[in-house]
Amino acid sequence: MGYLREAPNDWEPLRLTAEDGKPLPEVQLPSAETALEIFRWMVFGRIFDQRMLSLQRQGRIGTIGSIRGQEASAAGLGVALRQEDWLAGSYRELLTYLVHGVPAEALITLYRGGVPGPFPAGVRALPVQIVIGAQMPQAAGLGLALKLRQEPAAVVACCGDGATSEGDFHEGVNFAGAHGLPVVFFVQNNGWAISVPRARQTASATIAQKGFAYGMPAALVDGNDPLAVYEVCREALERARAGGGPSFVEAVTYRLGPHTTSDDPTRYRPDSEVQAHEGRDPLPRMRRYLEAAGIYPDGLQEQLEEEARTVLGEAVAAAELRPPVTPEQMFDLTWAKETPQAQRDRERSIAELREVGEL
Amino acid sequence: MGYLREAPNDWEPLRLTAEDGKPLPEVQLPSAETALEIFRWMVFGRIFDQRMLSLQRQGRIGTIGSIRGQEASAAGLGVALRQEDWLAGSYRELLTYLVHGVPAEALITLYRGGVPGPFPAGVRALPVQIVIGAQMPQAAGLGLALKLRQEPAAVVACCGDGATSEGDFHEGVNFAGAHGLPVVFFVQNNGWAISVPRARQTASATIAQKGFAYGMPAALVDGNDPLAVYEVCREALERARAGGGPSFVEAVTYRLGPHTTSDDPTRYRPDSEVQAHEGRDPLPRMRRYLEAAGIYPDGLQEQLEEEARTVLGEAVAAAELRPPVTPEQMFDLTWAKETPQAQRDRERSIAELREVGEL
Amino acid sequence: MKANLVEAVQDGLRIALREDPDCLVLGEDVGRNGGVFRATDGLQQEFGDQRVLDTPLAESSIAGVGLGLAAAGMHPVCEIQFAGFLYITMNQIGSQVARLRMRTGGGLKAQMVIRAPYGGNVRTPDLHSDSFEALYAHTPGIKVVLPATAYAAKGLLLAAIEDPDPVLFLEPMRIYRGFREEIPEGRYTVPLGQARVAREGTDVTIVAYGAEVSTALEAAEALQMEHIEAEVIDLQTVAPLDAETVIGSVRKTGRAVVVHEAARPVGVGAEVVARIQEEAFYSLEAPVERVTGWPTPYPFVQAEGLYVPSMARIAAAVRRTLSA
Amino acid sequence: MKANLVEAVQDGLRIALREDPDCLVLGEDVGRNGGVFRATDGLQQEFGDQRVLDTPLAESSIAGVGLGLAAAGMHPVCEIQFAGFLYITMNQIGSQVARLRMRTGGGLKAQMVIRAPYGGNVRTPDLHSDSFEALYAHTPGIKVVLPATAYAAKGLLLAAIEDPDPVLFLEPMRIYRGFREEIPEGRYTVPLGQARVAREGTDVTIVAYGAEVSTALEAAEALQMEHIEAEVIDLQTVAPLDAETVIGSVRKTGRAVVVHEAARPVGVGAEVVARIQEEAFYSLEAPVERVTGWPTPYPFVQAEGLYVPSMARIAAAVRRTLSA
Ligand SMILES: Cc1ncc(C[n+]2csc(CCOP(=O)(O)OP(=O)(O)O)c2C)c(N)n1
Ligand SMILES: Cc1ncc(C[n+]2csc(CCOP(=O)(O)OP(=O)(O)O)c2C)c(N)n1
Ligand SMILES: [Mg+2]
Ligand SMILES: [Mg+2]
């Protein structure tokens, strides 16, 4: 007896700064410029979230997930991306999409139930994924294309802790491992998949170590430490771009808001847990870091908030000016090359709507 | 830089005996009775394989996979099972099905294109799975039923190295891990998934360590050492029956024959590889063990072969006496409770066949 | 008792859990959260987390675990959070659940229910509004049921749970809380495989199911003003389809309109049309019309109101068949 | 050159790989093994293991990786080893591939082909004989193509690879090596979305596709002895369905029989019937007959010969429509 080997449990999350914002001893920190860039996006994310939730309450957009509390992970990752890298993420990575160049107007349009694309030329991103896990094999496919074309670029494939249970998560990560593709898998473990806590999602001690099951190096990082997230992602992305293959990152963070505007988190998690995490809000933590490092200009946050509000105000206005989607557009978007019969069928559908005055 | 942690690669397969059949120092070996029982089934499996391949060549059964070379894994596992345990396996575990009580006649009928069931009362086994990986979540479901009913029994879910790439493999193992179910996952790594070698299936250093990604203990075992397979499985099964939760076993073996009778392995693997593995055939190895241990009665193998041939001869005869499947049976097997319309539709289909004399 | 459709589902689940010790409920967020639509609200409190179980986020395993439970003799009710994710369960349900009985020569049965809210016009995100009944109706071995009222929801669900065959139970999300009606307390069943005449009429037959039954009834009311008496058939089960009830009605009216919100090509509507023309050919006075979703994917929310068949589109189709 | 159907597929793939640097082939065992049916035989030798790629055993990822490749501008041809496993790809294809264009407002395109051998009567194991074209034909956004001859196989495949939309390409396994015919060397295409009159006739229209076209033609020959001239339409593409060609024929003949081996309920046959009665109602002199697989799962091998429509069953249906 005693042949079975117990699963190891020996991970500590990587941190570059302490909760109070002070750098930990002997760490290498990103430049002030990078730190400020990350902070700027974190503030933008916070304001974006507020704005989207308020638009939803006003009935101006549909159901939307809150990203509050996860700005450090999203921005740390986003700033580490280069223009030529691909982003494959979900509704929880809206901030990373914004950092990567997707205009706020496109995302607002998406949540207004309109056509969010095409994204501007040169912005390499898959659509914001709603079907949990589906982006993972797709990211492997993007990675395969980069590898075949020998482009020095990487793909980042993002998902949540819950998503790691899906078959597609497994198939995508395994494919990238087996073919040595330039993909960084980035899991935002925010503690919950709607009402299901991380511990009931998988018995694995960490999500990070799942990377080993696919033969790739892995890191567990404090997802509320944006500098650590940035540095880990930078390493992983550079490795990928240089032909070093895939890697796997778990960023431990917390969803401070509801899952979406349709969710009532008080049904399943205690207020005390949320309160504790409010105290670990990554935004003030990052601000404390900048202040301690002496690179925080007076009134910076307020100024960035103001800027964000202006940008978002314009984006909302532009989105609301877009004419609503027509049935013709839906047909146009179904086929790139309509067959003659498909065209006849389109005309018939449109005629049916015209007949009853719905068009 | 240097935040990513490399995937570990520190496994040695467990062995109780050396290639020459001699026990390794300081190991605990199963009883002589158990060893003989395992050997008996290994011989049965070898003869079963021969017989099935020859029936296929004669056109008396359809395409069939060869199990030659994998008898140690299949029998070691099978003998470790108890009557009250469930078996969920595939076409490569036919020998385990036989050990677990499924009559050879049922399997021959299956490969004759007939209805293989129901299995005899008390034989707890899912149908022989053809859709790779599909049995894994099903096994978790069986495990959940055992847990809810507090039955001191276990489930064994078998698959191949290739199957570990499927989404269903992942979902099934993860479910069992998350809910702490009494399931033993048993992967026969026979080096190949048809023409795809193990190394191109996944970059993971071992398949065994995939168990850790689901938070369960794991073992890597020499799949050609039937005593090691037996002991590891016994431990895993006892743990499961006692409420200790799931575990994960990789048995490293080799498929000596073609993938199936439709396969031509010379297209993708060198003869030299096969030759090398012929030299590691588990059947003579086990015999050497029994001989060295002084528990091998003269002429045992020949006698067991003879017995197997007799049993199989009868099974083939019985299977060939079964009347062929009728359309009525197919309808009977579609619905347990036919709706009135389904009954009308059945009659209509049958009438159509009668009209043209196909019935 | 008064109940809306989702409350009726919940009541049915509660009765099954109370009366059938082999019944259990599993799915994403069905436990403490009570399901994203509250269909399982309070059940975990009452029956414990062994019988009302949160699963990992993995739909194929929800169906596959269901099969394993059923093979061991339990009667699982699996929830898929939205019907759009039934794409993911297609393999476990189509290749496994629907064929377990066949594959085992009747030795094992898949007595299980897979529930999912379906349908559009509720301003949900991408893939949360789809109707995939046709995929499963093309998959013999699983029954496909779609209730149109609270009464039917409870009765059909209880029938599905006690049916020895697997049942896909699609709940019309749009009318979950659409109206409350009086339903009996305690257990009652509505038979599977049987359509229902929701409204009698003589001039034309409107065939619908799920949320579109209400729309069809509204259309029928509107048409009455024009002295058109439409008979409305609520299919209730689309596989196996109760063609006989439809045929009987069309033999009487001579005209028919089939309605569903799923995409038009190779939908359940096509099957209904095929059946009608096969068996009521000589009674037909006009081509059967289909009022359905377009031959496109389910559209962006801004256009969905034009995709899901409206009362006006149904009424117009009726008028077309009458003037044909 | 002379080629059978599988050789024609192989020739098409070779031409695409030679002429289109963005084209690549991926799937299980497509590399050194050349595919379990040898459809990709020799391709890895010629084009290397970067362009003819063995994947892990995971169909959902084969489709999903295909989408990623296509999004990056490549033109992948993905092989699914048997059509039965298209259940597993349903989510990646239905919810992703078929909707990529829509979701990105046309920004990204899924120019990709998913090939799979389909169909029965070849004594294969469980789930290796299924026909799932109906599931995908109900999924707008992906074209569904089934060649019936070697000539069409190559021409349709090359058209599919250069088509900007995703195409599911189902190859009739039963006639992979059924017959050899003369096909042109080099590139040629057969247009997608266009049915073909495989045989002209005046008395009845037989609509078929894939392997059943041959069976339908045999039935037509046999019926000729009885002085029945059947027109045989080979659909070639079942989604979007070329209804016009079918309608045109039925307007002429007044009668029709639709054939497929997939299960009957909610199959492509139902759609064809619905289309005929919608658009040729007044030309129809008898109910359209369907000759299909039964409303059961694909049966055990011992019964499959009775499930897959035979020449006799098709001929009998023709006679029924003529005497109706
Ligand atoms: C395939 C699929 N199943 C279920 C859902 C419904 N759903 C949306 S988000 C979610 C939880 C996701 O959890 P996680 O992956 O941890 O991401 P998070 O929302 O926490 O960022 C669920 C179940 C879905 N969108 N897709
Ligand atoms: C879902 C699915 N995909 C593909 C196949 C075709 N196929 C049958 S066996 C096999 C290889 C299996 O390899 P492995 O899991 O290593 O098992 P082994 O045959 O080596 O025992 C493949 C690809 C299948 N049966 N099911
Ligand atoms: Mg989460
Ligand atoms: Mg193998």
Side-chain angles (χ1 to χ4, degrees):
Chain A
M1 286 293 170
Y3 297 115
L4 289 167
R5 184 162 150 182
E6 291 295 333
N9 183 2
D10 56 351
W11 289 80
E12 275 302 320
L14 289 164
R15 288 205 173 90
L16 300 186
T17 63
E19 292 281 343
D20 64 5
K22 301 255 168 63
L24 295 173
E26 290 173 54
V27 297
Q28 274 214 324
L29 293 161
S31 70
E33 199 191 332
T34 299
L36 286 166
E37 173 77 352
I38 294 172
F39 183 68
R40 182 168 79 78
W41 280 113
M42 288 176 69
V43 173
F44 193 88
R46 183 64 53 104
I47 300 296
F48 176 77
D49 188 67
Q50 283 170 9
R51 190 67 207 254
M52 294 302 265
L53 296 188
S54 103
L55 288 172
Q56 196 281 334
R57 270 192 301 272
Q58 296 162 35
R60 289 159 75 187
I61 63 169
T63 304
I64 179 141
S66 172
I67 58 174
R68 194 163 63 88
Q70 304 188 219
E71 295 91 346
S73 291
L77 167 66
V79 171
L81 287 174
R82 291 212 198 121
Q83 168 97 35
E84 62 271 24
D85 297 331
W86 278 94
L87 171 62
S90 78
Y91 56 90
R92 197 73 73 200
E93 286 89 21
L94 296 182
L95 177 54
T96 314
Y97 274 84
L98 292 165
V99 179
H100 199 49
V102 173
E105 188 202 332
L107 298 183
I108 296 164
T109 299
L110 173 62
Y111 285 89
R112 290 187 72 240
V115 185
F119 293 156
V123 174
R124 292 181 132 182
L126 292 186
V128 175
Q129 187 57 257
I130 294 295
V131 181
I132 303 291
Q135 70 276 22
M136 307 307 268
Q138 300 169 5
L142 293 168
L144 183 55
L146 293 178
K147 184 182 172 200
L148 296 177
R149 292 178 165 162
Q150 301 179 292
E151 287 185 45
V155 183
V156 67
C158 309
C159 71
D161 46 314
T164 66
S165 297
E166 287 281 2
D168 266 2
F169 162 86
H170 174 73
E171 295 196 12
V173 185
N174 188 55
F175 194 106
H179 282 272
L181 305 179
V183 185
V184 176
F185 294 96
F186 185 82
V187 180
Q188 280 195 66
N189 170 4
N190 64 2
W192 294 88
I194 308 187
S195 73
V196 179
R198 153 66 184 86
R200 256 186 292 157
Q201 199 63 241
T202 176
S204 185
T206 63
I207 288 174
Q209 72 174 16
K210 287 181 186 276
F212 294 167
Y214 309 105
M216 59 185 74
L220 177 70
V221 59
D222 177 348
N224 283 6
D225 180 344
L227 303 179
V229 171
Y230 171 81
E231 285 296 339
V232 168
C233 290
R234 194 163 69 100
E235 176 183 337
L237 287 162
E238 277 174 17
R239 177 187 176 107
R241 291 183 203 113
S247 48
F248 195 98
V249 179
E250 173 186 2
V252 183
T253 176
Y254 193 80
R255 158 165 69 73
L256 291 172
H259 170 69
T260 65
T261 45
S262 313
D263 179 47
D264 172 10
T266 63
R267 292 179 67 93
Y268 54 78
R269 64 182 188 185
D271 266 1
S272 56
E273 176 182 308
V274 183
Q275 285 319 312
H277 282 280
E278 288 282 2
R280 292 184 212 125
D281 186 334
L283 192 60
R285 175 169 166 189
M286 181 61 175
R287 180 172 162 162
R288 286 192 294 270
Y289 166 77
L290 296 173
E291 286 166 349
I295 52 178
Y296 185 85
D298 245 19
L300 175 63
Q301 183 165 346
E302 293 68 26
Q303 180 202 326
L304 293 174
E305 287 175 357
E306 201 42 46
E307 278 171 28
R309 280 196 197 95
T310 309
V311 170
L312 288 170
E314 284 163 14
V316 171
E320 291 187 337
L321 273 177
R322 288 205 197 181
V325 180
T326 62
E328 282 89 346
Q329 265 178 294
M330 298 311 305
F331 281 90
D332 287 345
L333 292 175
T334 298
W335 305 115
K337 189 172 168 189
E338 214 169 34
T339 67
Q341 181 73 46
Q343 204 182 326
R344 286 189 291 274
D345 291 346
R346 165 214 291 259
E347 282 155 15
R348 182 203 171 113
S349 301
I350 303 291
E352 192 194 325
L353 294 175
R354 289 242 163 77
E355 186 189 341
V356 295
E358 292 190 0
L359 258 193
Chain B
M1 287 292 173
Y3 297 115
L4 290 168
R5 183 162 151 182
E6 291 296 331
N9 183 2
D10 56 351
W11 289 80
E12 275 301 321
L14 290 165
R15 289 204 173 92
L16 300 186
T17 62
E19 292 281 341
D20 64 5
K22 301 255 168 60
L24 295 173
E26 289 175 54
V27 295
Q28 275 215 321
L29 293 162
S31 69
E33 197 192 334
T34 299
L36 286 166
E37 172 77 353
I38 293 172
F39 183 67
R40 182 169 80 78
W41 279 113
M42 288 176 69
V43 173
F44 193 88
R46 184 63 53 104
I47 300 296
F48 177 77
D49 189 66
Q50 283 170 10
R51 188 70 207 253
M52 294 301 265
L53 295 187
S54 103
L55 288 172
Q56 196 280 333
R57 271 192 301 273
Q58 296 161 35
R60 289 159 74 190
I61 62 169
T63 304
I64 179 140
S66 171
I67 58 174
R68 194 163 62 88
Q70 304 188 218
E71 295 90 347
S73 292
L77 168 64
V79 171
L81 287 175
R82 293 213 197 118
Q83 168 97 35
E84 63 271 25
D85 296 333
W86 278 93
L87 171 62
S90 78
Y91 56 91
R92 197 72 74 201
E93 286 88 20
L94 296 182
L95 177 54
T96 313
Y97 275 83
L98 292 166
V99 179
H100 199 48
V102 173
E105 188 203 332
L107 298 182
I108 296 163
T109 300
L110 172 63
Y111 284 90
R112 291 187 71 242
V115 186
F119 294 155
V123 174
R124 292 181 133 181
L126 292 186
V128 175
Q129 187 57 257
I130 294 295
V131 181
I132 303 290
Q135 70 277 24
M136 307 307 268
Q138 299 169 4
L142 292 168
L144 183 54
L146 294 178
K147 184 182 172 198
L148 296 178
R149 291 177 165 165
Q150 300 179 292
E151 287 185 43
V155 183
V156 66
C158 308
C159 71
D161 47 313
T164 65
S165 297
E166 287 282 3
D168 266 2
F169 163 86
H170 174 73
E171 295 196 10
V173 186
N174 189 56
F175 194 106
H179 281 274
L181 305 180
V183 185
V184 176
F185 294 97
F186 185 82
V187 180
Q188 279 196 67
N189 170 5
N190 64 1
W192 294 90
I194 308 186
S195 72
V196 179
R198 152 69 183 84
R200 255 185 293 155
Q201 199 63 241
T202 177
S204 184
T206 63
I207 289 174
Q209 72 174 15
K210 287 181 187 276
F212 294 168
Y214 308 106
M216 59 185 74
L220 178 69
V221 60
D222 178 348
N224 283 6
D225 180 343
L227 303 178
V229 172
Y230 171 81
E231 285 295 340
V232 168
C233 290
R234 194 162 68 99
E235 176 182 337
L237 288 163
E238 278 174 16
R239 178 187 175 105
R241 292 184 202 113
S247 49
F248 195 97
V249 178
E250 173 186 2
V252 182
T253 176
Y254 192 79
R255 156 164 69 74
L256 291 172
H259 170 68
T260 65
T261 45
S262 312
D263 179 46
D264 172 10
T266 63
R267 293 179 67 92
Y268 55 79
R269 64 183 188 184
D271 267 0
S272 56
E273 177 182 307
V274 182
Q275 285 319 314
H277 282 280
E278 288 282 3
R280 292 184 213 126
D281 187 335
L283 192 60
R285 175 170 166 186
M286 181 62 175
R287 180 173 161 161
R288 287 192 294 271
Y289 166 76
L290 295 173
E291 287 167 348
I295 51 176
Y296 185 84
D298 244 19
L300 175 64
Q301 183 166 345
E302 293 67 24
Q303 179 202 323
L304 292 174
E305 286 175 357
E306 202 41 48
E307 278 171 28
R309 280 197 197 93
T310 310
V311 170
L312 288 169
E314 285 162 11
V316 171
E320 292 187 338
L321 273 178
R322 288 206 197 181
V325 180
T326 62
E328 281 89 346
Q329 266 178 293
M330 298 310 304
F331 282 90
D332 287 344
L333 292 175
T334 299
W335 305 115
K337 188 172 168 191
E338 215 170 30
T339 67
Q341 181 74 45
Q343 204 183 326
R344 287 189 291 274
D345 292 346
R346 165 214 292 255
E347 281 155 17
R348 183 203 170 113
S349 301
I350 304 291
E352 192 194 324
L353 294 175
R354 290 241 163 77
E355 185 188 342
V356 295
E358 293 189 0
L359 258 194
Chain C
M1 62 188 275
K2 282 260 185 204
N4 61 28
L5 204 150
V6 72
E7 288 161 351
V9 166
Q10 198 196 102
D11 192 42
L13 292 172
R14 184 170 286 112
I15 290 169
L17 285 164
R18 267 193 205 144
E19 299 179 1
D20 176 358
D22 290 323
C23 181
L24 82 172
V25 166
L26 65 158
E28 295 158 11
D29 306 292
V30 299
R32 191 170 308 175
N33 202 33
V36 293
F37 289 103
R38 308 291 172 253
T40 56
D41 197 18
L43 298 183
Q44 192 178 67
Q45 275 109 298
E46 185 171 344
F47 301 100
D49 62 5
Q50 301 289 294
R51 297 191 62 206
V52 181
L53 232 111
D54 282 326
T55 64
L57 209 180
E59 288 76 11
S60 185
S61 72
I62 294 176
V65 163
L67 182 147
L69 287 163
M74 309 209 55
H75 306 149
V77 180
C78 306
E79 177 173 311
I80 300 297
Q81 206 159 69
F82 288 90
F85 311 135
L86 288 170
Y87 273 152
I88 305 177
T89 58
M90 196 80 230
N91 183 50
Q92 277 294 341
I93 298 181
S95 91
Q96 304 293 314
V97 170
R99 301 186 193 208
L100 182 66
R101 176 177 163 76
M102 177 159 293
R103 227 167 246 150
T104 59
L108 297 175
K109 65 183 180 183
Q111 178 168 347
M112 59 190 280
V113 175
I114 295 124
R115 297 176 41 243
Y118 89 95
N121 255 355
V122 278
R123 303 183 61 82
T124 57
D126 208 1
L127 215 79
H128 283 59
S129 303
D130 281 80
S131 300
F132 291 155
E133 67 280 2
L135 306 179
Y136 289 92
H138 183 59
T139 306
I142 182 158
K143 294 171 178 167
V144 183
V145 172
L146 303 94
T149 64
Y151 174 83
K154 178 174 165 185
L156 288 167
L157 180 59
L158 283 166
I161 295 171
E162 65 183 42
D163 197 273
D165 293 310
V167 177
L168 178 65
F169 194 82
L170 295 171
E171 299 162 10
M173 205 194 319
R174 182 160 92 243
I175 54 168
Y176 255 165
R177 299 191 161 75
F179 39 86
R180 285 172 167 266
E181 60 185 77
E182 193 59 39
I183 65 168
E185 307 266 349
R187 171 181 296 274
Y188 65 94
T189 58
V190 172
L192 306 186
Q194 223 163 283
R196 167 182 83 97
V197 179
R199 181 186 196 278
E200 297 203 6
T202 46
D203 301 328
V204 60
T205 303
I206 307 177
V207 181
Y209 51 88
E212 287 297 315
V213 173
S214 309
T215 319
L217 287 170
E218 286 166 26
E221 291 304 313
L223 288 162
Q224 203 170 26
M225 318 263 212
E226 302 167 31
H227 308 290
I228 299 169
E229 285 300 336
E231 180 144 306
V232 177
I233 307 277
D234 170 5
L235 289 177
Q236 298 197 112
T237 301
V238 300
L241 184 79
D242 175 8
E244 199 174 45
T245 301
V246 175
I247 306 303
S249 174
V250 176
R251 288 221 174 99
K252 180 174 76 176
T253 62
R255 297 164 203 273
V257 171
V258 192
V259 183
H260 58 68
E261 39 178 307
R264 186 183 193 86
V266 199
V268 167
E271 179 66 28
V272 174
V273 174
R275 290 294 198 139
I276 291 175
Q277 78 90 43
E278 273 159 16
E279 298 180 43
F281 184 79
Y282 299 101
S283 314
L284 268 184
E285 297 181 43
V288 183
E289 291 268 342
R290 286 186 284 170
V291 184
T292 67
W294 310 322
T296 71
Y298 193 87
F300 290 98
V301 164
Q302 290 175 1
E304 71 178 338
L306 302 177
Y307 181 92
V308 176
S310 61
M311 181 185 106
R313 279 170 65 197
I314 298 172
V318 166
R319 286 185 211 105
R320 282 197 300 271
T321 63
L322 281 160
S323 62
Chain D
M1 62 188 275
K2 282 258 185 205
N4 61 28
L5 205 151
V6 72
E7 289 161 352
V9 166
Q10 199 195 101
D11 193 42
L13 291 173
R14 183 170 286 113
I15 292 169
L17 285 164
R18 266 192 205 143
E19 299 180 359
D20 176 358
D22 290 323
C23 182
L24 82 171
V25 166
L26 64 157
E28 294 158 11
D29 305 292
V30 299
R32 192 173 303 175
N33 200 34
V36 293
F37 290 102
R38 308 291 172 252
T40 56
D41 197 18
L43 298 182
Q44 193 178 67
Q45 275 108 300
E46 186 171 343
F47 301 101
D49 63 4
Q50 300 288 293
R51 296 191 64 206
V52 181
L53 233 111
D54 282 326
T55 63
L57 207 181
E59 288 75 13
S60 185
S61 73
I62 294 175
V65 163
L67 182 148
L69 287 163
M74 309 210 56
H75 306 150
V77 181
C78 306
E79 177 174 311
I80 300 298
Q81 208 159 68
F82 288 89
F85 312 136
L86 288 170
Y87 273 152
I88 306 177
T89 58
M90 196 81 230
N91 183 49
Q92 276 294 341
I93 299 181
S95 91
Q96 304 293 314
V97 169
R99 301 187 193 208
L100 183 66
R101 178 177 163 76
M102 177 159 292
R103 227 168 245 151
T104 60
L108 297 175
K109 66 183 176 182
Q111 178 167 348
M112 60 189 281
V113 175
I114 296 123
R115 296 177 41 245
Y118 89 94
N121 254 355
V122 279
R123 304 184 58 81
T124 57
D126 208 2
L127 215 80
H128 283 60
S129 303
D130 280 80
S131 300
F132 292 154
E133 67 279 3
L135 306 179
Y136 289 92
H138 182 59
T139 306
I142 182 159
K143 295 170 178 168
V144 182
V145 172
L146 303 94
T149 66
Y151 174 83
K154 178 174 164 184
L156 288 167
L157 180 59
L158 283 165
I161 295 172
E162 66 182 43
D163 197 275
D165 292 310
V167 178
L168 178 65
F169 195 81
L170 295 171
E171 300 163 8
M173 207 193 318
R174 182 158 93 244
I175 55 168
Y176 255 165
R177 300 190 161 76
F179 40 85
R180 286 173 165 265
E181 61 183 77
E182 194 57 40
I183 65 168
E185 307 267 348
R187 170 181 297 273
Y188 66 93
T189 57
V190 172
L192 306 186
Q194 224 163 281
R196 167 182 84 96
V197 179
R199 182 187 197 279
E200 297 203 5
T202 47
D203 300 328
V204 61
T205 303
I206 306 178
V207 182
Y209 51 88
E212 286 298 313
V213 172
S214 309
T215 317
L217 286 170
E218 286 166 25
E221 291 305 312
L223 288 163
Q224 203 172 27
M225 319 264 213
E226 301 166 33
H227 307 289
I228 299 169
E229 287 299 336
E231 180 143 306
V232 177
I233 308 277
D234 170 6
L235 289 177
Q236 300 198 111
T237 300
V238 300
L241 184 80
D242 175 7
E244 199 174 44
T245 300
V246 175
I247 305 304
S249 175
V250 176
R251 288 221 174 99
K252 181 174 76 177
T253 61
R255 295 164 204 274
V257 171
V258 192
V259 184
H260 58 66
E261 39 178 307
R264 186 184 194 84
V266 198
V268 168
E271 179 66 28
V272 174
V273 175
R275 289 295 198 141
I276 292 175
Q277 78 88 43
E278 273 159 17
E279 297 180 43
F281 184 79
Y282 299 101
S283 314
L284 269 185
E285 296 180 45
V288 183
E289 290 268 342
R290 286 185 285 170
V291 184
T292 67
W294 311 322
T296 72
Y298 193 86
F300 289 98
V301 163
Q302 290 174 0
E304 71 177 339
L306 302 178
Y307 181 93
V308 176
S310 62
M311 184 186 104
R313 279 169 64 196
I314 298 171
V318 166
R319 286 186 211 103
R320 281 197 300 272
T321 64
L322 281 159
S323 61

